[in-house]
Amino acid sequence: MTTSSYPSKLLESAVNEFAKLPGIGKKTALRLVLHLLRQEKEMAFKFADTIHHMRQEIMYCKSCHNISDSETCHICADANRDNTLICVVESIRDVMAIESTQQFTGIYHVLGGVISPMDGIGPDDLTIGPLLEKIKSGDVKEVIFALSTTMEGDTTNFYLYKKFEKYNVATTTIARGVSIGDELEYTDEVTLGRSLINRLPFEKTL
Amino acid sequence: MHIRHLNLINFKNIQQAEIDFSPGINCLVGENGAGKTNVLDALYYLSFCKSYFNSIDSQNITHEQEFFVVQGQYERQDEDEHIYCGLKKSQKKHFKRNKKEYSKLANHIGLLPLVMISPADEQLINEGSEQRRKYIDGVISQYDKPFLDDLMRYNRSLMQRNATLKQLKESGARDYSMLDLWDEQLEQLANRIYNKRIDFIKELVPVFQKYYAYISDGKEEIALNYKSHLHEGDLKRQLLEVRSKDTILGYTTRGVHKDDLELLLGGYSIKKIASQGQKKTFLIALKLAQYEFIQKHNGIKPILLLDDIFDKLDDARSNRLLQLVSEDVFNQIFITDTNKAYLVDIVKRTGKDYKVFDVAGGQVLIEGEEE
């Protein structure tokens, strides 16, 4: 489909905007735009308003850098949560994943990525400074690293570990091993090998 | 382990073929371009999920056809294994074991071990060190999966370090804390890779020398010499020493990615002084050593493919080679050659079970069989 084949410039620019979204091509974009056209006007306006509002008013928690509706997110503001225990994650999606386990009672710190010179991301592009401030204040007892198990994730762990070493804070990392419910023979050798090296006293698994 | 039956559709120049193999020696004879090597490549596909010669899958489909199918029936540790590989143009490759599709092709590799000796191996001698590292790493990763993981992580860290170097160069900054970080990662991984390569070569050399001595009748002195920056100690220290140089160049000049395997004949580089036949003997010995290695670590005798093996070898060496591979160390063998009378003559003398196939114009027929 060539760009000139659109019967309307307005239609074309709407399609182009949609096509900028990840995973959306020109054809899908056209389908979405035509769908919006078929709806009641109010619905389309509401859609546009919601996006406008979201972009305009959303905030990042000043403490953990999670996405939030207020200056401090509901997790950081929750008095029942243990703010001496900080879980370091890459993005909001990881916060959501860990929250849904309902196993974590501490607070988070969203880094905004991992160190990757190839993608032009250095430590200064991440929220490491504020995290370091929190640790310096002495209120933090333990930092849990929960980054991806990629080379970049591991390197970021190591970088943070070096930074925090001299302060009185425990650093831990989430365990890596065999998934619950997995059959051993189908586990890949690397994971299985690691699980053996980092095996646990059985009492701890009870 | 051996393959009993192979079924090919539209694979390279073979439009259709159904072949029952001997568990002993299988001879594929025919003229140049007949399709002998393509049969071997089909067997390679079933073991490694890819071609030995052409890494672009779709180019292995017969011209003007839409798909290819390679199917093999194997007997492995007294169990039947049915392996299916199918590719349709511009679609994902399908790879199934006993009708069950693999989620990851990597899981298949190693199930049906196989060693191919082909004229294309010459690049191991004639080309750069990358080929020789590939050989070493290829053999080690067949029995050591964590090694492959370390290798991939090392390469990733290397790319990240090089990106850091380029940024330092462009910005002219003097902050080397990021380099420290990658140096640290590289060193850990490099040490593990280095130690495994050393262990491998230590174990490989005597086996290799044994085979070379056998084929050449013990007349020549050969050696493999593992070269690595890590012989000089601590990689982190070395990276620190070359830091300013690396920053100017924009890439990393020390590390296991520069390792090499020196191939020596009588103390001199084989590339420079060896004859064609000596080079060939060298490569065959290297590959047979690889065979023994895989068998030892895997417990299964791989299938051995000998493509145009007698080319450039004198009669004495050819005879000894065939005598060697017909010993019990080896199991099922495939040999291609253009000279039928010659091949059949020496294969007969091994006393092993054998079959001869005539290959012509993409047709594979058992000897004496009419089209």
Side-chain angles (χ1 to χ4, degrees):
Chain A
M1 202 186 318
T2 55
T3 32
S4 58
S5 62
Y6 291 100
S8 142
K9 277 255 156 50
L10 293 168
L11 179 73
E12 183 180 343
S13 63
V15 167
N16 286 339
E17 288 307 315
F18 270 97
K20 284 180 189 165
L21 299 172
I24 308 275
K26 281 265 159 90
K27 280 191 178 158
T28 311
L30 179 62
R31 200 162 52 101
L32 295 174
V33 171
L34 291 177
H35 174 80
L36 285 174
L37 270 180
R38 276 197 301 273
Q39 305 298 311
E40 296 287 326
K41 269 189 184 169
E42 282 67 31
M43 193 226 140
F45 292 159
K46 194 177 164 220
F47 179 76
D49 267 359
T50 311
I51 290 171
H52 184 92
H53 242 72
M54 186 267 290
R55 194 63 192 89
Q56 188 75 38
E57 286 169 26
I58 216 158
M59 289 194 267
Y60 291 90
C61 170
K62 68 178 183 350
S63 171
C64 72
H65 300 269
N66 194 4
I67 290 169
S68 165
D69 290 340
S70 47
E71 270 200 352
T72 307
C73 73
H74 71 276
I75 297 174
C76 289
D78 187 342
N80 290 323
R81 300 197 68 132
D82 178 1
N83 57 15
T84 65
L85 182 62
I86 298 184
C87 182
V88 180
V89 295
E90 272 175 62
S91 78
I92 165 100
R93 283 187 299 195
D94 304 322
V95 173
M96 289 164 71
I98 297 175
E99 276 302 283
S100 67
T101 67
Q102 303 190 352
Q103 296 290 320
F104 184 63
T105 53
I107 56 170
Y108 296 92
H109 188 88
V110 181
L111 278 185
V114 286
I115 297 172
S116 176
M118 285 163 73
D119 303 307
I121 302 172
D124 297 344
D125 302 305
L126 308 175
T127 60
I128 293 172
L131 178 58
L132 194 62
E133 288 308 313
K134 273 190 234 171
I135 287 164
K136 276 185 188 165
S137 73
D139 298 336
V140 183
K141 287 195 192 118
E142 181 180 346
V143 176
I144 305 169
F145 296 147
L147 304 181
S148 316
T149 60
T150 58
M151 199 59 235
E152 289 74 18
D154 284 353
T155 307
T156 309
N157 282 342
F158 184 73
Y159 178 86
L160 295 176
Y161 169 74
K162 283 279 163 196
K163 282 249 174 235
F164 304 159
E165 222 178 7
K166 50 179 174 279
Y167 302 101
N168 186 23
V169 61
T171 42
T172 55
T173 175
I174 51 169
R176 293 161 188 196
V178 181
S179 313
I180 308 281
D182 259 13
E183 285 178 58
L184 222 50
E185 65 167 314
Y186 295 115
T187 310
D188 72 280
E189 286 95 332
V190 178
T191 306
L192 196 52
R194 278 266 202 132
S195 309
L196 274 172
I197 293 168
N198 301 327
R199 61 190 182 276
L200 295 171
F202 186 70
E203 307 93 82
K204 287 205 173 177
T205 66
L206 295 175
Chain B
M1 179 202 67
H2 67 271
I3 179 166
R4 270 204 307 262
H5 184 82
L6 177 72
N7 195 343
L8 298 178
I9 301 170
N10 296 338
F11 186 73
K12 297 191 170 182
N13 81 331
I14 304 170
Q15 282 220 310
Q16 204 273 324
E18 284 218 35
I19 321 170
D20 287 305
F21 293 120
S22 156
I25 302 176
N26 294 280
C27 306
L28 297 151
V29 290
E31 320 221 305
N32 297 139
K36 307 182 291 293
T37 305
N38 292 345
V39 176
L40 300 191
D41 203 26
L43 298 175
Y44 191 89
Y45 241 106
L46 291 175
S47 283
F48 293 97
C49 316
K50 62 177 184 192
S51 163
Y52 189 72
F53 302 98
N54 192 339
S55 57
I56 301 167
D57 280 322
S58 60
Q59 292 182 357
N60 294 306
I61 301 173
T62 309
H63 297 305
E64 289 166 26
Q65 295 295 328
E66 290 302 307
F67 69 95
F68 78 66
V69 174
V70 181
Q71 274 177 290
Q73 282 167 30
Y74 291 78
E75 196 176 305
R76 182 183 178 274
Q77 295 176 327
D78 295 326
E79 300 256 358
D80 280 351
E81 294 285 352
H82 191 263
I83 310 296
Y84 169 96
C85 176
L87 178 81
K88 208 168 167 183
K89 257 184 198 164
S90 65
Q91 282 187 18
K92 198 175 135 269
K93 178 162 53 183
H94 288 285
F95 211 95
K96 294 179 195 170
R97 174 184 177 191
N98 300 324
K99 300 195 173 162
K100 195 167 168 279
E101 180 112 24
Y102 277 101
S103 56
K104 254 163 75 185
L105 291 181
N107 294 341
H108 175 69
I109 295 164
L111 182 80
L112 306 169
L114 175 146
V115 173
M116 164 95 106
I117 307 183
S118 131
D121 297 334
E122 249 186 52
Q123 56 194 21
L124 213 61
I125 291 178
N126 294 329
E127 287 185 15
S129 59
E130 190 189 346
Q131 295 293 336
R132 292 178 286 281
R133 283 194 300 277
K134 233 169 147 182
Y135 164 79
I136 298 172
D137 297 339
V139 184
I140 302 177
S141 19
Q142 282 209 27
Y143 61 82
D144 189 336
K145 288 274 159 74
F147 174 81
L148 189 63
D149 189 61
D150 281 344
L151 203 61
M152 280 160 29
R153 285 176 160 258
Y154 179 87
N155 289 331
R156 185 85 196 160
S157 304
L158 190 65
M159 282 157 75
Q160 295 285 19
R161 185 180 193 266
N162 290 345
T164 310
L165 286 169
K166 286 195 188 91
Q167 281 163 16
L168 282 171
K169 188 184 173 185
E170 278 161 23
S171 67
R174 288 271 175 277
D175 176 12
Y176 294 118
S177 61
M178 276 290 100
L179 273 187
D180 289 338
L181 191 61
W182 295 109
D183 289 2
E184 185 87 31
Q185 305 289 340
L186 278 175
E187 164 160 278
Q188 281 187 15
L189 294 161
N191 282 338
R192 291 214 289 268
I193 293 167
Y194 173 70
N195 287 327
K196 281 185 177 159
R197 284 181 179 164
I198 282 197
D199 289 346
F200 165 68
I201 291 159
K202 214 182 273 168
E203 211 178 325
L204 179 80
V205 166
V207 185
F208 164 69
Q209 284 173 332
K210 173 185 84 182
Y211 284 124
Y212 192 92
Y214 188 95
I215 303 169
S216 67
D217 209 13
K219 288 182 200 118
E220 291 147 0
E221 187 205 326
I222 48 143
L224 297 177
N225 186 15
Y226 176 43
K227 286 171 70 176
S228 175
H229 292 144
L230 271 74
H231 290 338
E232 296 159 40
D234 206 0
L235 180 63
K236 216 163 96 183
R237 180 184 51 79
Q238 294 185 48
L239 287 172
L240 204 59
E241 280 167 12
V242 296
R243 184 168 279 185
S244 48
K245 182 176 146 201
D246 282 0
T247 314
I248 294 165
L249 291 169
Y251 60 84
T252 306
T253 54
R254 311 288 285 183
V256 291
H257 60 292
K258 297 282 179 186
D259 281 5
D260 199 356
L261 192 62
E262 237 177 349
L263 316 174
L264 301 170
L265 178 69
Y268 296 98
S269 159
I270 192 150
K271 182 177 174 182
K272 295 194 180 117
I273 64 145
S275 76
Q276 302 261 6
Q278 283 172 319
K279 280 185 187 170
K280 184 114 184 185
T281 312
F282 198 93
L283 290 169
I284 292 170
L286 208 53
K287 285 292 186 93
L288 292 180
Q290 171 184 350
Y291 184 103
E292 194 169 314
F293 222 87
I294 294 171
Q295 190 222 328
K296 193 173 141 197
H297 286 273
N298 231 340
I300 296 176
K301 289 178 183 174
I303 291 174
L304 184 62
L305 309 182
L306 307 175
D307 187 19
D308 210 4
I309 190 109
F310 303 119
D311 178 45
K312 293 173 189 154
L313 291 185
D314 59 38
D315 279 357
R317 285 188 188 209
S318 300
N319 269 317
R320 277 194 297 271
L321 172 62
L322 210 66
Q323 209 51 57
L324 177 65
V325 295
S326 58
E327 279 173 17
D328 280 343
V329 186
F330 300 94
N331 196 24
Q332 193 181 28
I333 301 168
F334 293 80
I335 309 176
T336 67
D337 208 272
T338 47
N339 190 334
K340 184 169 168 183
Y342 174 77
L343 181 62
V344 172
D345 183 49
I346 48 177
V347 165
K348 255 184 197 159
R349 273 187 267 156
T350 64
K352 264 204 154 187
D353 185 63
Y354 74 94
K355 270 188 181 175
V356 180
F357 301 91
D358 288 311
V359 186
Q363 301 268 358
V364 186
L365 298 168
I366 188 148
E367 194 193 21
E369 189 184 40
E370 290 299 318
E371 199 177 309

